[in-house]
Amino acid sequence: MKIKFICFSILLFILNSCKLKQEKSDSPNFILFLTDDQSWSGTSVQMSPDHPSSQSFYYETPNLKKLSERGMVFSRGYSASPVCSPSRYSIQFGKTAARLKIIRVGMNTSHIDHNQPNTIPKVLKDINPEYKTAHFGKWGIDADPSILGYDFHDGKNGNKEGGFNNDNSQWKISFSEDPKNIFSLTGKAINFIEKQKENNKPFFLQLSHYALHTNLISKKSTYEKYLTKKKYSETDHPGFAAMNEDLDQGLGLILNKIEELDLSENTYIIYTADNGSVPTIPARKFYKKSINYPLSRGKWDAMEGGIRVPFIIAGPGIEPESINNVPVSGYDLLPTIIDIIDPNYKFNNQIDGGSIKEILFSNQIKSIKRETNGLIFHVPYENKIALERAHSSIIRDNFKLIKFRDNGEINLFNLNSDISELNNLIDSFPNIGKELETTLENYLKNVKSIKWRDGINWKNIDINEVNSFY
């Protein structure tokens, strides 16, 4: 009897091991396609059924259109910040820029623990050590990608590696057969995907393109096409459009490779941007109409044009050609990816993002469980090319509140009826305004975020020496 029990126990162990192995091998793949400075309204995809102008008829992105038809478009998808580095940090750590205390490009980040356990690759490997992870392209984080858990990467790259001059030449048109490294980066990504397919390993790949950040570089043939194309807006720009289409060709190569390798049924593709487009080309402080129209303003400001971005996810279990209007953010990606793999996983420290898995798989208007009820944006400095006013904002459901730090001015907008943020409703809905302001201020205090101080731009200085916190 004892021998039978031992044999049964061994058999049960073997069966469970086989089951576990099967579950591990079936772990889905994830590809995060992150673009730079891309307009919500600057693609072939109509991002919102309520706003025909959320689709461009000048810029052509047929492969993004194909991806949207395979999955879900979030008409209210947001970057975590109106500038790149804070958004990139937020994606990796699942935290707001305010909590991380990184609120602009060019900051001293010695206060950030880059070794913390909650990053996308580290958590994936904690759940399943078989995962292989890679990052190629613009990094924008002050630590080697390997420190955050990436097995393969091409370095701590910034804008210069993608072809950027911080002078007036950035607005001049130039040509290359590999504009903004679009196709060489795509080649690296494809090689990585093929290798993981060959080795039967699940993978996470973040492909962070330098496009559409200036300089304006495209293939000459693409540019010439737009020289003769009809313009639909005074903001339509042939150089910008050509770079946009070249970028889309890179996406198409990835989509084709996933199909060729028969990975579609086990791969999620996430497409989003680090922030909205520059409002004009060349950049100007004052203008009548933004490239991001119907959204207001653009990159650098926490107005809709600076933070509302393309946000599309396709993969198994997601209804094709679906659209959802729930506000989601880049810092929701970490908990969402992990929830898809292991809904019982407990993070080692606090994150701000919430999982959108239930929305993806049901396409219902559901609230997202986050530590704070709302999306938080924090810009506590004056940017001379932008509004030049320190401000913070919070979005909850249909309402968005913006608080300016110089004089305490409050703006309240109903984004359902006023996507361009033209009508301040604070006098009509004072209670909603007070509630949102209280939530915003309490959050900034709870995370001890950076506090605006007149004359401080937070560039290349130790924030602890300035010692201006909530």
Side-chain angles (χ1 to χ4, degrees):
M1 188 71 175
K2 186 175 182 181
I3 294 175
K4 287 183 178 180
F5 176 76
I6 292 173
C7 290
F8 176 77
S9 298
I10 293 172
L11 179 61
L12 188 64
F13 175 78
I14 292 173
L15 289 173
N16 284 334
S17 297
C18 291
K19 182 181 178 183
L20 181 61
K21 184 176 181 181
Q22 180 67 30
E23 288 173 348
K24 296 289 187 185
S25 65
D26 286 347
S27 295
N29 310 307
F30 298 89
I31 299 174
L32 172 55
F33 197 100
L34 184 66
T35 67
D36 197 314
D37 293 3
Q38 189 163 35
S39 171
W40 180 75
S41 55
T43 76
S44 299
V45 179
Q46 185 171 335
M47 294 295 171
S48 170
D50 299 324
H51 299 281
S53 54
S54 64
Q55 173 186 8
S56 173
F57 292 98
Y58 184 72
Y59 301 108
E60 296 182 22
T61 58
N63 292 297
L64 185 60
K65 178 72 171 175
K66 182 190 300 183
L67 182 67
S68 72
E69 291 168 351
R70 294 178 181 178
M72 181 175 292
V73 175
F74 286 89
S75 59
R76 296 182 64 190
Y78 290 92
S79 60
S81 168
V83 290
C84 65
S85 284
S87 286
R88 294 165 191 272
Y89 269 90
S90 288
I91 287 171
Q92 296 301 321
F93 296 109
K95 300 178 181 181
T96 67
R99 181 188 293 276
L100 290 164
K101 301 178 183 65
I102 176 162
I103 46 80
R104 64 160 298 156
V105 177
M107 281 190 71
N108 179 329
T109 60
S110 58
H111 60 283
I112 296 177
D113 176 16
H114 293 92
N115 278 304
Q116 56 188 281
N118 286 346
T119 66
I120 295 173
K122 286 182 180 179
V123 179
L124 284 173
K125 291 171 180 292
D126 190 35
I127 296 171
N128 180 359
E130 292 293 302
Y131 265 100
K132 296 298 178 183
T133 59
H135 181 279
F136 301 118
K138 181 175 173 179
W139 180 235
I141 293 175
D142 289 336
D144 192 89
S146 62
I147 292 175
L148 275 71
Y150 285 95
D151 300 309
F152 306 94
H153 63 86
D154 56 358
K156 291 170 56 179
N157 300 319
N159 288 322
K160 289 186 177 180
E161 283 75 19
F164 170 65
N165 300 317
N166 193 18
D167 55 37
N168 287 334
S169 69
Q170 66 182 290
W171 307 108
K172 295 180 180 179
I173 308 297
S174 60
F175 304 115
S176 168
E177 286 305 303
D178 186 21
K180 306 299 290 186
N181 299 346
I182 289 168
F183 300 107
S184 53
L185 285 178
T186 301
K188 292 177 184 179
I190 286 175
N191 288 339
F192 171 77
I193 293 169
E194 290 177 332
K195 190 69 172 178
Q196 306 325 308
K197 169 67 174 181
E198 178 185 336
N199 294 334
N200 194 29
K201 299 290 186 182
F203 64 84
F204 172 82
L205 165 65
Q206 181 168 330
L207 182 54
S208 300
H209 277 284
Y210 300 101
L212 300 162
H213 197 289
T214 52
N215 292 12
L216 297 176
I217 309 172
S218 70
K219 291 193 293 186
K220 187 176 182 180
S221 58
T222 315
Y223 175 74
E224 289 175 343
K225 165 186 170 180
Y226 284 95
L227 286 178
T228 57
K229 184 172 182 180
K230 175 186 175 182
K231 292 185 178 182
Y232 294 84
S233 169
E234 63 266 31
T235 62
D236 289 338
H237 188 284
F240 201 52
M243 186 162 57
N244 207 356
E245 183 172 333
D246 289 341
L247 173 64
D248 188 72
Q249 289 177 15
L251 173 63
L253 293 172
I254 296 293
L255 297 180
N256 291 340
K257 180 57 62 173
I258 293 299
E259 290 182 5
E260 176 190 322
L261 296 177
D262 197 26
L263 291 172
S264 299
E265 295 303 314
N266 198 37
T267 301
Y268 292 92
I269 300 178
I270 304 163
Y271 186 104
T272 191
D274 62 350
N275 48 253
S277 171
V278 291
T280 61
I281 297 175
R284 300 193 302 273
K285 182 179 178 65
F286 301 106
Y287 45 87
K288 292 182 179 180
K289 186 177 182 181
S290 166
I291 288 174
N292 301 293
Y293 179 84
L295 306 182
S296 56
R297 301 200 64 85
K299 178 181 179 178
W300 305 302
D301 294 323
M303 306 293 284
E304 290 295 285
I307 54 177
R308 193 185 289 215
V309 293
F311 205 112
I312 300 170
I313 304 179
I318 301 174
E319 182 182 346
E321 298 187 86
S322 53
I323 298 178
N324 199 284
N325 196 38
V326 175
V328 298
S329 172
Y331 56 81
D332 291 324
L333 292 177
L334 168 61
T336 300
I337 290 169
I338 301 311
D339 194 21
I340 289 173
I341 297 171
D342 183 0
N344 298 314
Y345 186 83
K346 304 297 182 186
F347 289 96
N348 290 327
N349 56 32
Q350 194 168 32
I351 63 171
D352 291 295
S355 173
I356 61 176
K357 183 181 78 171
E358 287 190 22
I359 296 173
L360 287 171
F361 293 162
S362 68
N363 192 23
Q364 296 180 12
I365 305 297
K366 293 189 174 183
S367 60
I368 299 171
K369 294 180 181 178
R370 302 186 185 95
E371 287 293 324
T372 299
N373 185 13
L375 299 179
I376 304 290
F377 306 89
H378 193 41
V379 189
Y381 67 101
E382 296 92 353
N383 189 325
K384 293 187 181 299
I385 195 65
L387 283 172
E388 203 174 353
R389 296 181 71 187
H391 58 286
S392 310
S393 68
I394 179 171
I395 294 173
R396 181 187 295 168
D397 300 326
N398 302 333
F399 284 97
K400 176 179 180 180
L401 178 138
I402 301 175
K403 182 171 183 177
F404 292 96
R405 297 299 171 180
D406 51 1
N407 62 359
E409 177 189 347
I410 298 290
N411 286 187
L412 180 69
F413 303 106
N414 184 337
L415 296 177
N416 264 12
S417 57
D418 182 23
I419 197 172
S420 300
E421 298 170 289
L422 298 174
N423 303 307
N424 186 1
L425 302 176
I426 190 61
D427 292 334
S428 301
F429 300 97
N431 291 338
I432 291 176
K434 188 63 179 176
E435 183 181 350
L436 289 176
E437 182 187 8
T438 299
T439 301
L440 173 63
E441 294 299 297
N442 285 344
Y443 176 82
L444 295 174
K445 290 175 184 176
N446 289 339
V447 302
K448 298 180 174 58
S449 193
I450 294 172
K451 191 173 186 178
W452 170 73
R453 182 183 291 181
D454 191 18
I456 302 293
N457 68 7
W458 304 107
K459 189 170 184 178
N460 296 324
I461 58 176
D462 187 336
I463 65 170
N464 292 309
E465 290 183 5
V466 177
N467 193 28
S468 182
F469 302 103
Y470 282 87

